[in-house]
Amino acid sequence: MMHSELYAALEWYIDMGIDECTDEYACNRLLLPLELQLPKQMTCKAISSAKYVGNDRHHDSQFVHPAFSCNTLEELKICIEQHASKHLLRLGARNMVFADGLVSSKVMVIGEAPGRDEDIQGIPFVGKSGKLLDAMFNAIGLSRSDHQVEKSLYITNILPWKPPDNRAPSTDEVAFFLPFVRQHIYLVKPQIILLMGGTASQHLLGIKGGITKIRGKWYDYKDRDYKAFAMPSLHPAYLLRTTDMKRYSWIDLQRIQRKILELTSPSGA
Ligand code: URA
């Protein structure tokens, strides 16, 4: 933009009555619950780094997390909305990003958190890394838009709302939403769970180590009476930045394809 154009834009803002800069961060104040009215000096940056404001009953051994009482995905969605109604992550987000794909799919993909495009559309993995994710799975014959169970995918994230500034989710945020993700998996009951990146892998499998160390191996995922095969793999956003790692991703995808074959062919071939 030319200097004169910038100057004209500024003048236009002033004419419109926008004469004060309040924040570095965009924040949807219409979503602000009354009890969370901001003190004047509290900026959206402060909101985004603050912790969940609510009754923390999670240390009570008798406490059963409300997520585990949900019997359907609809109930779970409502439960997340209600339970997280005071969660500060919601303030800067437009839409909840719950899931996409076929619920009866054998394969469930779990990412980290929505980004800007996902926030706008309310659908997981629709931005640049989503395009790569789709291409990766298409290469082994799987697609979120396929309606056949054997060829479809079901996709979600650990966090249902976009963190401000596209930052990585904090440990507190992951801990807050983990019971909901566990119940999401439990209700969908896929045979195979693919965990994209370190955050999803470490928290859902309880394993330590960087993603490049833990990727490509099968782990048992167990929750109550349900069991599945889980594999950590490289996150497409990481692959976009580190293209020479794509060959490891291809190895993982081939392992996934073999596992699907084993599970679907009667001889286990
Ligand atoms: N990255 C993720 O982990 N999830 C999305 O939905 C988009 C980008």
Side-chain angles (χ1 to χ4, degrees):
M1 232 188 206
M2 307 269 297
H3 179 264
S4 56
E5 290 171 320
L6 283 172
Y7 195 80
L10 206 56
E11 264 190 343
W12 183 79
Y13 277 127
I14 292 167
D15 286 347
M16 292 293 114
I18 304 166
D19 56 3
E20 195 180 347
C21 206
T22 55
D23 266 332
E24 293 170 60
Y25 290 78
C27 173
N28 189 347
R29 289 171 194 280
L30 296 176
L31 284 178
L32 199 63
L34 280 181
E35 63 272 34
L36 268 186
Q37 291 291 344
L38 295 184
K40 266 204 184 95
Q41 71 280 19
M42 193 172 180
T43 63
C44 287
K45 190 172 182 184
I47 298 171
S48 68
S49 55
K51 291 200 178 135
Y52 167 66
V53 194
N55 294 335
D56 187 4
R57 295 177 296 154
H58 299 253
H59 299 301
D60 176 352
S61 60
Q62 301 298 308
F63 175 66
V64 177
H65 196 284
F68 301 128
S69 313
C70 297
N71 295 314
T72 64
L73 293 177
E74 265 323 298
E75 277 178 30
L76 183 66
K77 231 169 156 174
I78 295 167
C79 185
I80 298 173
E81 280 284 0
Q82 287 173 346
H83 194 68
S85 68
K86 293 177 190 164
H87 200 287
L88 298 167
L89 205 59
R90 286 195 60 188
L91 301 177
R94 287 186 179 97
N95 285 304
M96 180 198 242
V97 179
F98 187 71
D100 193 25
L102 197 68
V103 180
S104 53
S105 169
K106 290 185 190 311
V107 182
M108 182 165 181
V109 177
I110 305 179
E112 193 173 285
R116 184 178 171 275
D117 297 306
E118 291 77 19
D119 180 45
I120 292 170
Q121 296 188 41
I123 303 171
F125 282 104
V126 288
K128 261 192 186 166
S129 52
K131 302 252 175 325
L132 178 58
L133 184 103
D134 284 339
M136 284 159 58
F137 285 104
N138 288 349
I140 56 163
L142 301 178
S143 160
R144 65 169 102 189
S145 53
D146 205 299
H147 295 293
Q148 299 170 70
V149 172
E150 315 74 47
K151 295 186 174 177
S152 62
L153 282 178
Y154 185 73
I155 307 176
T156 190
N157 280 308
I158 299 283
L159 259 56
W161 284 286
K162 172 188 86 70
D165 262 1
N166 237 358
R167 64 158 168 74
S170 69
T171 312
D172 278 355
E173 285 161 352
V174 174
F176 182 90
F177 287 105
L178 209 58
F180 298 104
V181 184
R182 277 184 51 201
Q183 190 65 6
H184 199 159
I185 300 171
Y186 188 75
L187 292 172
V188 173
K189 291 198 173 51
Q191 287 182 299
I192 294 174
I193 304 169
L194 301 174
L195 303 159
M196 309 313 285
T199 304
S201 308
Q202 286 149 3
H203 289 90
L204 277 165
L205 296 176
I207 47 175
K208 293 211 165 75
I211 188 64
T212 52
K213 290 249 158 56
I214 61 176
R215 58 145 278 276
K217 299 181 192 97
W218 289 110
Y219 296 82
D220 286 335
Y221 176 87
K222 291 185 193 149
D223 192 355
R224 290 158 275 177
D225 56 344
Y226 160 72
K227 248 168 77 170
F229 296 99
M231 181 191 280
S233 194
L234 303 171
H235 193 288
Y238 171 74
L239 294 172
L240 286 171
R241 295 191 302 269
T242 330
T243 47
D244 59 338
M245 295 301 278
K246 280 186 179 172
R247 58 200 152 125
Y248 296 107
S249 182
W250 180 234
I251 294 171
D252 298 355
L253 287 164
Q254 287 173 304
R255 287 183 184 153
I256 294 158
Q257 194 176 31
R258 272 203 298 279
K259 180 63 82 183
I260 295 172
L261 265 177
E262 264 173 46
L263 295 174
T264 48
S265 73
S267 61

